[in-house]
Amino acid sequence: MFTLAEENYLKALFHLESESKDGVSTNAIALKLKTKPSSATDMIQKLAEKKVVAYQKYKGAFLTKKGKLIAADVIRKHRLWEVFLVEKLNFQWDEVHDIAEQLEHIKSEELITRLDTFLDHPNFDPHGDPIPDENGVIKSSDKKLLSELEENQQGICVGVKQSDSKYLQYLDKLSINIGSKIKVLNVEEFDGSKTIEVGGKSYFISEKSAQNIYVIN
Amino acid sequence: MFTLAEENYLKALFHLESESKDGVSTNAIALKLKTKPSSATDMIQKLAEKKVVAYQKYKGAFLTKKGKLIAADVIRKHRLWEVFLVEKLNFQWDEVHDIAEQLEHIKSEELITRLDTFLDHPNFDPHGDPIPDENGVIKSSDKKLLSELEENQQGICVGVKQSDSKYLQYLDKLSINIGSKIKVLNVEEFDGSKTIEVGGKSYFISEKSAQNIYVIN
DNA sequence: ATATAGTTTTAGACAAGTCTAAAAATAAAA
DNA sequence: TTTTATTTTTAGACTTGTCTAAAACTATAT
């Protein structure tokens, strides 16, 4: 069983690993977790003893297979709770992170199994990030930007890149939501703006705006 | 802001106060929280400094007005989460306590407000215990046992006293659930057994069984 | 009223997780 | 290749919440 602090370190390591090829420096971890490098060193050494992290002094750390599983499980919980908060409690996409950060540490396999079922086994969280399955496997997603779609292509909205309230309200006007099917009817060559179809109606969207919306297709 | 441990002490105190007129002994608190009396003393002293507990050495402790509010809030969260677990995730009444024990410490006013709305502002948890409102006020409940009802009286099931799986399955057969309207058609004098009407059908229930079901009317 | 039993508090220790300050190792620059 | 700068680790201290053992208080019984 892992403590809250341990889980947070594993999660941070998981995210940092995917960004940098080499081992992750204790400094980078400290930065991510808003703590001091000395604290990170302490914890990484502890996690190394527990065999969830591989670590050599001054050489950085990375997750072992076991560590990756635990981290993926925490991330799974986090993202499932985010879906719950948005879909069921009507939070906006940008309001849920801090709450999910707490909920992800609730200990109960059964709870997550049932939550997953209740939410109808979602594959993506409200930010468009994939939700690992029960075995920690992350479906390699075809997540791309709406701006990358060409004429007559379509995709399902899985999230947004940056999400401030005003922008979300704008999306509401276009009836774009998670799960919305978006079809590109027309692309304007000179500025990349698009005409799209959402829910039977057509709308106009600028290239800049389309670069902020994630879709899978 | 109160820590998880502090919240648990306040909650324990809240429950213990309602059982005994005098101040609550540190021993009783330790017993309830499965810790040692010395630990309880330490914590009570700390809470006294924070003005949420009134405490005199060797004389026991009780909650101040402020302490009561905080305790009621934790209990509110606990019970709302229990309703969620049972009504939405289909847990059984006896499986939810430990999970709610964790969920009750999640910090977010907004979350609880929305959860309350999502659950349609329930007044009772699955065990029939009343849910304090946003101001910590507990509706004085008319909770009684089904066995106390007389002929032609009726009540709404708000929970059970003891709940093992087998018993819950038995209740399912009688289509008794939280919120079920139960009408007493007939009471057998010599053994207290009853004929009741639930959902348009009539069933037979023993006195012993009726003593296990909470209703309000 | 005094000895005894039971309860409650204090004192000191420990584990987890953090911090600061100083030492050690690595990387960069002259 | 030295020197200098930067990164990383160690050492020691602090906080929270717990514990054990001992001391202080209260209640009980003779």
Side-chain angles (χ1 to χ4, degrees):
Chain A
M1 199 59 80
F2 289 82
T3 66
L4 190 147
E6 287 171 340
E7 286 187 351
N8 281 335
Y9 274 91
L10 291 173
K11 191 169 51 119
L13 211 37
F14 190 98
H15 289 311
L16 290 170
E17 260 184 35
S18 66
E19 286 165 21
S20 66
K21 272 284 162 60
D22 311 339
V24 179
S25 79
T26 49
N27 237 342
I29 298 168
L31 205 73
K32 181 123 195 167
L33 293 175
K34 284 171 187 152
T35 164
K36 297 287 176 257
S38 54
S39 307
T41 302
D42 285 351
M43 183 57 95
I44 290 299
Q45 289 175 342
K46 192 173 137 200
L47 292 173
E49 268 174 38
K50 289 196 171 189
K51 309 286 186 194
V52 287
V53 158
Y55 166 71
Q56 277 182 287
K57 272 191 195 175
Y58 298 102
K59 296 284 168 76
F62 52 90
L63 293 169
T64 63
K65 196 166 285 183
K66 202 175 149 198
K68 254 182 211 134
L69 268 170
I70 296 159
D73 193 53
V74 176
I75 290 165
R76 170 175 162 77
K77 289 181 211 155
H78 181 102
R79 294 184 177 165
L80 280 173
W81 279 116
E82 283 199 343
V83 173
F84 168 73
L85 294 171
V86 168
E87 303 252 298
K88 301 295 180 181
L89 299 195
N90 300 117
F91 276 98
Q92 286 198 306
W93 303 351
D94 56 337
E95 299 175 316
V96 296
H97 189 268
D98 291 347
I99 303 176
E101 204 77 3
Q102 298 178 62
L103 287 164
E104 72 188 6
H105 301 292
I106 302 292
K107 257 99 183 157
S108 168
E109 280 260 335
E110 185 67 17
L111 172 64
I112 294 304
T113 304
R114 284 171 185 264
L115 183 65
D116 185 43
T117 301
F118 182 58
L119 299 172
D120 214 13
H121 308 290
N123 292 311
F124 298 92
D125 79 4
H127 304 96
D129 295 311
I131 299 173
D133 69 16
E134 321 82 63
N135 306 309
V137 179
I138 296 179
K139 269 206 199 73
S140 71
S141 115
D142 300 23
K143 190 171 89 167
K144 51 181 74 168
L145 295 170
L146 175 57
S147 56
E148 295 174 60
L149 293 190
E150 295 170 16
E151 258 179 53
N152 290 319
Q153 286 195 312
Q154 59 174 42
I156 289 165
C157 173
V158 292
V160 290
K161 201 193 276 180
Q162 287 158 300
S163 54
D164 53 284
S165 293
K166 274 184 201 162
Y167 188 65
L168 293 176
Q169 281 163 22
Y170 166 65
L171 289 184
D172 265 357
K173 273 195 216 159
L174 271 56
S175 60
I176 291 178
N177 233 303
I178 309 156
S180 299
K181 194 185 285 179
I182 304 174
K183 187 172 179 183
V184 176
L185 298 176
N186 175 268
V187 181
E188 210 57 66
E189 287 289 310
F190 78 100
D191 67 351
S193 69
K194 292 179 166 61
T195 310
I196 56 173
E197 186 184 279
V198 188
K201 290 183 182 171
S202 58
Y203 303 92
F204 177 82
I205 190 168
S206 72
E207 160 126 73
K208 196 180 167 196
S209 209
Q211 282 170 344
N212 200 29
I213 299 172
Y214 286 120
V215 296
I216 49 168
N217 65 346
Chain B
M1 198 58 78
F2 290 82
T3 67
L4 191 147
E6 287 170 340
E7 286 187 352
N8 281 336
Y9 273 92
L10 291 173
K11 190 168 53 120
L13 210 39
F14 190 98
H15 290 311
L16 290 169
E17 260 184 34
S18 65
E19 287 164 20
S20 67
K21 272 285 162 61
D22 311 338
V24 180
S25 78
T26 48
N27 238 343
I29 297 168
L31 207 72
K32 181 124 195 165
L33 293 175
K34 285 171 188 152
T35 165
K36 299 286 176 255
S38 54
S39 308
T41 302
D42 285 351
M43 182 57 95
I44 290 299
Q45 289 177 341
K46 192 173 139 201
L47 291 173
E49 268 175 37
K50 288 196 171 190
K51 310 285 187 198
V52 287
V53 158
Y55 167 71
Q56 277 182 286
K57 273 191 196 179
Y58 298 102
K59 297 282 168 78
F62 50 90
L63 293 170
T64 63
K65 197 167 285 183
K66 203 176 149 198
K68 254 181 211 136
L69 267 171
I70 295 162
D73 193 52
V74 176
I75 290 165
R76 170 174 163 77
K77 289 182 210 154
H78 181 104
R79 293 181 179 167
L80 280 173
W81 280 116
E82 283 199 344
V83 173
F84 168 73
L85 294 171
V86 168
E87 302 253 297
K88 300 296 180 180
L89 299 195
N90 299 118
F91 276 98
Q92 286 198 310
W93 302 351
D94 56 337
E95 300 174 316
V96 297
H97 189 268
D98 291 346
I99 303 177
E101 204 77 2
Q102 298 178 61
L103 286 165
E104 72 189 6
H105 301 291
I106 301 291
K107 256 97 183 157
S108 168
E109 281 260 335
E110 185 68 16
L111 173 64
I112 294 305
T113 304
R114 284 170 185 263
L115 183 65
D116 185 43
T117 301
F118 182 58
L119 299 172
D120 214 12
H121 309 289
N123 291 312
F124 297 93
D125 79 4
H127 305 97
D129 294 312
I131 299 173
D133 70 15
E134 321 81 65
N135 307 310
V137 178
I138 297 179
K139 269 206 197 74
S140 71
S141 116
D142 300 23
K143 191 172 87 165
K144 51 181 74 166
L145 295 169
L146 176 56
S147 56
E148 295 174 59
L149 292 190
E150 296 170 15
E151 259 179 49
N152 291 319
Q153 285 195 312
Q154 60 175 42
I156 289 167
C157 172
V158 291
V160 291
K161 201 192 279 179
Q162 286 158 301
S163 54
D164 54 283
S165 293
K166 274 184 202 160
Y167 188 65
L168 293 177
Q169 281 161 23
Y170 166 66
L171 289 185
D172 265 357
K173 275 195 216 159
L174 272 58
S175 61
I176 292 178
N177 232 304
I178 311 156
S180 298
K181 194 186 283 179
I182 303 174
K183 186 172 181 184
V184 176
L185 298 177
N186 176 269
V187 181
E188 212 55 69
E189 288 288 312
F190 77 100
D191 68 352
S193 68
K194 291 178 166 64
T195 310
I196 57 174
E197 186 184 279
V198 188
K201 290 182 180 171
S202 59
Y203 302 92
F204 177 82
I205 190 169
S206 73
E207 162 126 73
K208 195 180 169 197
S209 208
Q211 282 170 343
N212 201 29
I213 298 173
Y214 285 120
V215 296
I216 50 167
N217 65 345

